[in-house]
Amino acid sequence: MDAVAVKPSGEPASLFDRRAWRAHRDRAARSGAVDFLDAEIADRLIDRLDVVNREFAVALDLGARDGGMARALAARPGTRLVVAAEPAILFLAGAPDPRVAADPELLPFRDASFDLITSTLVLHWTADLPGALVQLRRALKPDGLLLAAMLGGSTLVELRTALFEAELAEEGGVSPRVSPAIELADAAALLQRTGFALPVADSETITVTYPDMLALLRDLRGMGETNALAARRRGGLRRATLARAALIYAERFGDATGRIPASFEILFLCGWAPHPSQPHPLRRGSATARLADALKPKG
């Protein structure tokens, strides 16, 4: 089966340049993707899925890249079908069938299509995250599971600090470089607000070290994670700004061996499509004992 291009009726929002974002992912696929972070996070999602101890017959892998996660899902007991969905055509060409070219903000799937949806590192590229979560919840069958990982607000704090200070010093101002991100404290509430039952959110920080800032920038380019904000400055960084940023990064964050850290905060989101069989909180006022009585000391 060939990849199916899903042409959106309009751009989802103006926060991100969707064309540039897809082009960045295509460029990463063309040049030999840097996929160690994606692979590590996919492994951690699979570990969380193993804890559920349940089979999921029909699954969607959203943000499939070249299909590593889709293949892992297909190998699980009880899996009959895994659909790989990816916005970048060049990545999608390496994914297993069936595969669909689709933007995470404009999902081309019927309601109640999947028992499981996994998503690795694409939801932070949605301008309307609540809207995207609502679409994902609707695409799940009742009692279906969403398991997603996205970058959190503390990601690359070292790089952002160095670039901010260097650009301010060299150019007298800064251009938009940081995408909005939800905080961990708000993630579970957002899942609940968008209709998911039993929402859970947690975070982990993955720290990678590099010989210098340029090596980090090359990896970000190879990941397809470079700036795609609609309001970004075109033309890239000035040479003097880049040199100053590299110096600030090394001086402020470098270790004794001269290497620099790059922190990636990963938010893991887990929620279920509602179903009558799921646990529910007791009706308000239905308690048969007072909390104050339970807390009184005995004797």
Side-chain angles (χ1 to χ4, degrees):
M1 175 179 176
D2 293 332
V4 180
V6 178
K7 182 179 175 64
S9 58
E11 290 299 308
S14 59
L15 176 63
F16 296 112
D17 182 338
R18 309 304 288 181
R19 180 177 296 178
W21 176 56
R22 291 190 293 270
H24 292 169
R25 292 175 77 87
D26 273 332
R27 180 181 63 194
R30 186 185 304 113
S31 60
V34 176
D35 61 0
F36 70 87
L37 185 64
D38 186 84
E40 174 63 27
I41 294 169
D43 285 345
R44 298 188 187 198
L45 285 176
I46 291 293
D47 288 343
R48 284 166 165 76
L49 193 57
D50 289 341
V51 173
V52 177
N53 193 28
R54 174 173 156 182
E55 295 181 356
F56 298 92
V58 182
L60 169 68
D61 179 25
L62 179 63
R65 295 175 73 93
D66 61 359
M69 183 66 166
R71 293 182 181 89
L73 292 175
R76 292 177 56 82
T79 303
R80 291 190 290 105
L81 177 70
V82 180
V83 177
E86 164 59 43
I89 295 296
L90 293 185
F91 263 139
L92 196 63
D97 290 328
R99 54 190 191 264
V100 177
D103 190 292
E105 287 193 338
L106 295 167
L107 297 182
F109 304 110
R110 293 193 182 101
D111 291 357
S113 294
F114 302 102
D115 301 293
L116 169 70
I117 297 176
T118 62
S119 175
T120 307
L121 297 187
V122 291
L123 289 181
H124 56 275
W125 287 111
T126 57
D128 179 15
L129 181 57
L133 289 174
V134 167
Q135 291 185 69
L136 291 171
R137 192 255 304 160
R138 289 175 177 169
L140 283 170
K141 298 177 183 179
D143 206 29
L145 174 64
L146 168 70
L147 198 57
M150 60 186 293
L151 295 181
S154 296
T155 295
L156 297 177
V157 62
E158 306 92 348
L159 177 64
R160 286 156 38 197
T161 299
L163 288 174
F164 180 90
E165 294 185 11
E167 202 167 9
L168 194 62
E170 293 290 333
E171 304 178 31
V174 296
S175 59
R177 298 191 180 281
V178 181
S179 305
I182 62 169
E183 299 298 328
L184 176 61
D186 301 323
L190 181 59
L191 285 168
Q192 187 171 39
R193 182 160 62 89
T194 52
F196 285 93
L198 309 175
V200 176
D202 67 291
S203 72
E204 298 179 8
T205 298
I206 298 175
T207 301
V208 184
T209 64
Y210 288 91
D212 53 50
M213 192 184 81
L214 294 181
L216 167 60
L217 294 178
R218 285 193 295 270
D219 264 11
L220 293 177
R221 185 181 177 93
M223 294 175 189
E225 290 290 338
T226 47
N227 190 356
L229 288 168
R232 72 193 184 283
R233 179 187 297 173
R234 295 338 192 242
L237 285 169
R238 297 178 184 175
R239 183 172 299 178
T241 303
L242 191 61
R244 183 183 284 263
L247 183 62
I248 292 171
Y249 204 137
E251 290 180 345
R252 185 78 57 84
F253 303 105
D255 62 19
T257 68
R259 295 182 68 85
I260 59 169
S263 302
F264 296 88
E265 182 191 19
I266 313 300
L267 302 183
F268 293 93
L269 310 182
C270 175
W272 297 82
H275 187 270
S277 67
Q278 294 166 350
H280 295 278
L282 291 174
R283 179 174 51 83
R284 189 180 180 89
S286 63
T288 58
R290 296 173 63 244
L291 178 62
D293 292 339
L295 295 177
K296 285 181 180 178
K298 296 181 180 180

